[in-house]
Amino acid sequence: MKLTTYAQNLYDLNVLKDQGYNEVILEAKSLSRFGKLSREDFILLSNRSKELGLRVLMEWDILMTEDVFGSKIKEVQELLPYADALRVQDTGALNWGITYSGKPLQFIAENGNHNLKALQGWVDLANGKMERIILSIELSKNTIEEYAKKLTVPCELLGLGRILLFYTPRPLLSALMPEKIAQNQELAATGESEESPHKGFPIVENQHGTFMFHIKEFCLVEFARDLEKSGLAFFRIDQRWEKPSRLVEISQLTKEFQSEAFEKLKHDYSQDLMRGFYLVNKTDILFPKLKNSRLQKREGHYVGEVLESEKGSHLAIMVKNPKGLKVTDILKILHPKGEVFETKIYSLKNVALEDVNEVPAGELAIIQFVGGVWVKSQVFYHHEIS
Amino acid sequence: MKVPIKIPEVLAPAGSLDKLKVAVLYGANAVYVGGQKFGLRTAAENFTQDELREGMSFAHERSAKVYVVLNSFLHDKDLAELPDFVRFLDEIGTDAVIVSDLGVVQAVREHSSIQIHISTQASALNIQSALLWKKAGASRIVLGREVSVKEAGKIRREADIEIEMFIHGSMCMAYSGHCVISNFTQGRDSNRGGCAHSCRFEYSLEGLDTQEKKKAYFMSSKDLEGLRILPAFIEEGIDSLKIEGRMKSHLYAGTMSKVYSEALKFYAGHGHFLSDDLLKWEEELGKVSHRAYTQASLVEKAGAESIFNERENSSEDEWQMVGPVIDASPKAGIVIEVRNAFNQGDELEILPFSGDVIKVFAHEIMDLTMKAVVRTRPSTLVRIPYVEGVQSMYLVRQRSKV
């Protein structure tokens, strides 16, 4: 497993060389979400990288509407000769890369892409030009292992760095400033909400929009060896917001893990660290609780819903089943709180209060009152319910 | 020779079978619905398979289309359950599925011949993206809400693919599909239907130019409203105009379907919007619960003015739904399912499927058993005297008493 990371200046490149890196991610300010490099600096760092034997990965990871996309192509074309591979997240940039770049492609599949079919699909669409897939940090270890083994191109995963929670092109911080600020000025703040137990979300606004990060950083350094065994090819260290000197410590820890050194790193690190969903992802476990399953209709034997329950007088049921409702039908009525009531219809009226033998679907049926039944109770044919 | 104007379809949300019927009856050309799984509205009522079948028949009998959302970013275990559902959707005549995930696109293609629309969740924003999704098998792109109508027109022409754009409703502040706040702070996958709407919270911000913390709903977007831009959508050849809101009320589904379909019909007939009706349609849009409106990025890039820096408070709505008409006939009167109470003497507005609002005063109210009522209660059924032309499923509203 190889390490990969970003460089923002010549000093960073020397550190990478010393630490045995083979490649470096360079970000031009106008093409990358958090890029700092001018066009000239990009070229300078690219040339120096090559002198040091580092492969240059050009990151073009902003999302772009058509006009923005059109305005970036010239710069992409100018910088591409200085890069060995192109990293993209916008699916338009991916297609442009496939069609026009002539460079190997790395697709940042960090949003969604939580199934093998999708990931291999991107590889296949690239017609042999995809050289790497960057996996989502929401995947758990077994899934990462499966993908690393089954995908036909090598995989990369974030090993340590900020967790991006939110990305909008809208300028949200400058909107709150009393004075008009210079366009493209970078702003930073931290945020907390009484409605969330988490305090101190880092927020950044720059020329590409506004970004919010998790209060903790993502860290799988302690699992680096396991990931290597599982077939992960690239482990990314993102220290763009940390002291440059820390990269040495982290790179060494990743290559040769030591508990004490790791504890010291955690202690000294500017943010708390978390492993996210690495052990297990249960982010769908709460879904059944988001709605009352007792209000969910069932197939086939569902009659309709109680729209009125008038104590001592009647129940009014909106009949929805094409079979309609007949005198002598036996019903099971499911209260929203779960209690079940049974009744045999002996009084059936239509909406005009006429005694009838049958009420068809789409009409209101008025039957005798059944104690305990409330509005929104769901009605079923008794004989079909198990 | 006069070239006929191509009018976009009005695509309305339908969170339940009843809402599907409301939307279609009020003029929507198409509706989008969710099954019990694979969509992004886990908390919505959604459709059982019987209801999908019934909804499909109801819509098709009235020349409306039904699109089923499969726009979650599915994990492998979810994907394994998809083929049976896709085959079922094909069998009942689903007009299209709305998909975000390439794995789902491929599963749909393998197991059905249903048309594939790429969801806004995929954040397809440019020509190259549209071309890639087209290569993957899509017949339509639902563009991200960051794209202007002009850009959309260019994408449509250059990529030669159907284009759908949101014209109305709540908006994600983030690029859709690129927000995982709920995933990491609440343990609920926002891209599988668990969004906790953390962007609507009030945040205290520290580090801006003031010493004090600044409180703001800085991540909350105003609601999209594109009525006045309809001519631009038409000029650019946009195929479908989407209204957000499967979780929203019957009144919302009905009003939006009615306003936008009537406006487009007017344009088709007259070739312009220079009409007093425009003010009337805007007034109608204002009568449904909403945040302050913005055109967001439909014309120019959304800026500071598009932020809804206020606490959500639906109790301040000027108008409220009284309830749907359950039955209407000279014999039974107008039977209303009361969702919000009204009193004897109140002025009610009954919203017909087309044409002007019917205003009535509730001088006489009776309960279902014909006893006189002075003040109605929610979750009851009441009768008011029959008014010629009123039909079952019309919606009734009144000015709020607050």
Side-chain angles (χ1 to χ4, degrees):
Chain A
M1 186 172 73
K2 291 177 179 159
L3 296 181
T4 190
T5 192
Y6 306 83
Q8 296 174 329
N9 50 50
L10 293 170
Y11 170 80
D12 289 348
L13 292 179
N14 291 328
V15 172
L16 299 195
K17 180 64 185 168
D18 290 346
Q19 292 303 312
Y21 282 72
N22 302 111
E23 63 180 34
V24 60
I25 305 166
L26 297 183
E27 310 159 288
K29 189 172 184 174
S30 67
L31 303 176
S32 183
R33 297 173 189 189
F34 311 112
K36 305 275 189 214
L37 302 176
S38 65
R39 182 181 170 279
E40 292 72 26
D41 288 344
F42 184 96
I43 294 169
L44 178 72
L45 262 66
S46 169
N47 288 335
R48 179 66 183 145
S49 299
K50 288 180 181 167
E51 286 167 16
L52 294 170
L54 296 169
R55 195 162 181 262
V56 174
L57 315 179
M58 173 175 156
E59 187 149 281
W60 177 25
D61 67 343
I62 53 170
L63 302 181
M64 296 157 286
T65 64
E66 181 54 32
D67 287 351
V68 177
F69 192 95
S71 73
K72 302 295 180 190
I73 289 300
K74 187 166 172 254
E75 186 168 352
V76 174
Q77 286 171 326
E78 282 173 1
L79 295 180
L80 211 46
Y82 298 92
D84 297 298
L86 180 63
R87 290 163 71 91
V88 296
Q89 180 153 24
D90 188 305
T91 45
L94 177 62
N95 198 49
W96 186 90
I98 295 166
T99 316
Y100 302 109
S101 74
K103 297 281 181 186
L105 300 169
Q106 302 186 358
F107 184 52
I108 304 168
E110 288 183 316
N111 269 88
N113 294 296
H114 294 151
N115 60 77
L116 188 64
K117 211 176 184 73
L119 291 165
Q120 187 59 47
W122 293 120
V123 175
D124 296 342
L125 277 171
N127 293 331
K129 290 174 183 159
M130 191 76 80
E131 71 165 14
R132 186 183 305 179
I133 289 279
I134 293 99
L135 298 176
S136 162
I137 60 169
E138 293 177 66
L139 301 176
S140 53
K141 60 179 181 180
N142 293 339
T143 310
I144 295 166
E145 183 172 355
E146 184 193 349
Y147 293 176
K149 289 199 170 115
K150 291 186 179 167
L151 280 171
T152 55
V153 298
C155 298
E156 174 189 312
L157 184 70
L158 177 64
L160 176 60
R162 280 189 170 183
I163 299 168
L164 179 61
L165 298 179
F166 174 94
Y167 170 20
T168 178
R170 298 197 220 179
L172 304 185
L173 293 182
S174 53
L176 301 169
M177 307 285 271
E179 298 289 322
K180 192 170 166 57
I181 60 155
Q183 227 180 355
N184 298 342
Q185 184 181 330
E186 185 163 317
L187 299 170
T190 56
E192 62 186 55
S193 172
E194 286 177 6
E195 296 176 78
S196 166
H198 305 85
K199 310 289 178 204
F201 294 104
I203 304 159
V204 171
E205 179 188 316
N206 61 27
Q207 64 171 320
H208 302 302
T210 308
F211 305 84
M212 186 167 93
F213 301 90
H214 199 282
I215 58 167
K216 295 181 183 176
E217 289 202 9
F218 186 72
C219 179
L220 296 183
V221 169
E222 61 191 307
F223 303 108
R225 183 162 289 181
D226 296 339
L227 285 163
E228 184 170 22
K229 280 185 202 156
S230 70
L232 187 75
F234 296 92
F235 193 73
R236 187 171 81 258
I237 309 294
D238 179 1
Q239 290 291 288
R240 287 174 290 179
W241 287 273
E242 284 291 325
K243 284 186 249 171
S245 57
R246 184 149 287 150
L247 188 63
V248 176
E249 187 185 353
I250 296 163
S251 303
Q252 287 171 355
L253 251 179
T254 305
K255 283 181 267 184
E256 195 173 343
F257 186 76
Q258 291 178 329
S259 299
E260 273 179 35
F262 183 60
E263 290 306 315
K264 182 174 181 308
L265 171 77
K266 284 202 288 186
H267 181 266
D268 295 345
Y269 209 79
S270 61
Q271 306 278 336
D272 286 341
L273 301 175
M274 68 187 290
R275 55 195 175 205
F277 305 110
Y278 179 69
L279 295 181
V280 64
N281 184 331
K282 289 185 177 175
T283 49
D284 58 349
I285 203 164
L286 290 171
F287 290 176
K289 295 179 182 169
L290 294 180
K291 57 188 170 188
N292 185 346
S293 61
R294 296 181 199 104
L295 295 181
Q296 291 302 297
K297 296 164 291 293
R298 302 181 195 184
E299 306 279 350
H301 44 250
Y302 177 65
V303 173
E305 182 176 325
V306 175
L307 296 188
E308 178 174 89
S309 171
E310 191 62 39
K311 194 173 178 183
S313 175
H314 62 268
L315 299 180
I317 299 167
M318 175 51 74
V319 181
K320 296 183 178 178
N321 195 303
K323 290 185 210 163
L325 208 55
K326 299 179 189 68
V327 174
T328 71
D329 270 346
I330 300 172
L331 304 177
K332 268 198 173 178
I333 305 177
L334 180 61
H335 189 283
K337 288 189 173 174
E339 208 172 343
V340 178
F341 300 87
E342 287 184 25
T343 192
K344 181 178 180 182
I345 298 175
Y346 58 82
S347 164
L348 182 64
K349 296 180 193 297
N350 64 16
V351 70
L353 295 182
E354 296 162 331
D355 287 314
V356 289
N357 289 322
E358 186 176 350
V359 172
E363 292 189 13
L364 201 64
I366 301 166
I367 68 165
Q368 72 275 4
F369 177 71
V370 179
V373 172
W374 288 4
V375 168
K376 281 199 176 295
S377 295
Q378 304 297 313
V379 183
F380 304 89
Y381 298 114
H382 177 269
H383 58 278
E384 290 182 17
I385 208 164
S386 55
Chain B
M1 196 177 78
K2 197 177 167 187
V3 180
I5 301 168
K6 186 191 140 203
I7 298 295
E9 77 178 2
V10 173
L11 173 56
S16 65
L17 182 58
D18 285 347
K19 288 179 196 170
L20 177 150
K21 291 177 180 174
V22 165
V24 170
L25 290 170
Y26 276 99
N29 308 109
V31 291
Y32 60 102
V33 307
Q36 295 296 318
K37 283 186 175 178
F38 313 117
L40 283 178
R41 296 290 177 267
T42 303
E45 191 176 339
N46 291 323
F47 285 61
T48 62
Q49 294 203 352
D50 281 350
E51 287 173 328
L52 279 170
R53 204 185 291 274
E54 186 182 340
M56 213 65 68
S57 301
F58 184 91
H60 289 168
E61 281 163 16
R62 290 159 183 81
S63 304
K65 293 181 175 174
V66 181
Y67 308 144
V68 177
V69 292
L70 304 175
N71 58 346
S72 282
F73 288 135
L74 298 187
H75 289 225
D76 294 282
K77 68 179 165 70
D78 309 316
L79 202 56
E81 298 174 26
L82 188 62
D84 284 349
F85 188 57
V86 168
R87 281 190 287 268
F88 165 76
L89 293 179
D90 203 7
E91 176 205 315
I92 63 171
T94 302
D95 297 287
V97 288
I98 304 172
V99 176
S100 314
D101 182 304
L102 184 57
V104 179
V105 169
Q106 295 188 339
V108 172
R109 291 186 73 189
E110 284 164 20
H111 300 282
S112 78
S113 55
I114 308 174
Q115 298 278 301
I116 296 169
H117 297 173
I118 298 303
S119 166
T120 194
Q121 285 294 110
S123 274
L125 305 166
N126 48 58
I127 295 166
Q128 290 295 325
S129 176
L131 287 170
L132 188 61
W133 283 112
K134 186 177 172 182
K135 211 187 294 178
S139 62
R140 176 185 290 189
I141 307 288
V142 188
L143 291 173
R145 277 168 271 202
E146 295 77 17
V147 179
S148 70
V149 182
K150 271 209 174 315
E151 288 174 309
K154 196 172 168 191
I155 296 168
R156 190 188 187 288
R157 290 187 294 276
E158 298 286 325
D160 192 21
I161 192 167
E162 284 186 18
I163 293 295
E164 179 178 312
M165 293 187 81
F166 278 90
I167 191 169
H168 198 103
S170 300
M171 297 179 74
C172 288
M173 181 62 91
Y175 281 113
S176 290
H178 288 261
C179 176
V180 288
I181 304 176
S182 301
N183 307 40
F184 282 94
T185 64
Q186 315 237 1
R188 285 163 51 170
D189 188 344
S190 56
N191 292 317
R192 278 189 292 171
C195 175
H197 303 283
S198 309
C199 57
R200 303 292 180 188
F201 295 171
E202 185 182 43
Y203 288 82
S204 292
L205 297 166
E206 198 169 11
L208 294 173
D209 62 343
T210 53
Q211 290 299 309
E212 291 175 5
K213 286 184 181 178
K214 192 164 191 114
K215 287 195 164 190
Y217 297 87
F218 79 110
M219 283 197 289
S220 178
S221 177
K222 288 180 182 172
D223 286 356
L224 183 66
E225 195 261 87
L227 182 67
R228 283 185 181 251
I229 312 168
L230 278 177
F233 285 108
I234 295 165
E235 280 161 26
E236 296 294 345
I238 306 307
D239 299 277
S240 178
L241 301 179
K242 184 174 214 160
I243 297 157
E244 177 276 345
R246 280 193 291 134
M247 296 287 280
K248 290 183 177 164
S249 67
H250 293 68
L251 183 61
Y252 176 91
T255 305
M256 295 304 145
S257 301
K258 178 177 163 72
V259 167
Y260 284 105
S261 63
E262 285 187 354
L264 285 168
K265 274 181 203 150
F266 183 94
Y267 193 93
H270 298 80
H272 65 79
F273 278 120
L274 304 174
S275 157
D276 288 343
D277 288 343
L278 185 60
L279 297 175
K280 189 183 76 184
W281 295 322
E282 281 184 329
E283 193 184 331
E284 286 295 307
L285 295 180
K287 289 181 177 179
V288 176
S289 180
H290 64 93
R291 302 178 189 91
Y293 283 136
T294 175
Q295 291 181 345
S297 296
L298 289 176
V299 179
E300 292 179 345
K301 294 294 165 209
E305 74 294 337
S306 66
I307 301 171
F308 184 64
N309 191 5
E310 290 175 36
R311 178 174 290 280
E312 310 259 307
N313 192 352
S314 60
S315 65
E316 288 177 3
D317 291 340
E318 206 179 333
W319 289 79
Q320 64 182 15
M321 166 109 159
V322 164
V325 173
I326 296 297
D327 203 286
S329 67
K331 209 191 278 184
I334 299 172
V335 180
I336 301 170
E337 182 194 348
V338 181
R339 305 258 172 98
N340 288 292
F342 65 99
N343 300 338
Q344 193 178 42
D346 282 354
E347 185 181 23
L348 306 179
E349 291 193 352
I350 303 175
L351 199 63
F353 297 142
S354 64
D356 291 337
V357 162
I358 302 162
K359 296 188 179 193
V360 295
F361 283 92
H363 290 307
E364 192 184 352
I365 311 173
M366 288 183 290
D367 69 12
L368 209 53
T369 60
M370 303 291 189
K371 285 186 203 135
V373 172
V374 175
R375 180 174 171 72
T376 66
R377 287 176 291 127
S379 301
T380 60
L381 298 168
V382 298
R383 301 172 195 264
I384 61 173
Y386 179 67
V387 177
E388 184 70 33
V390 173
Q391 296 178 33
S392 178
M393 295 198 78
Y394 276 13
L395 302 170
V396 185
R397 69 187 176 204
Q398 72 169 149
R399 197 175 281 279
S400 297
K401 295 185 173 67
V402 179

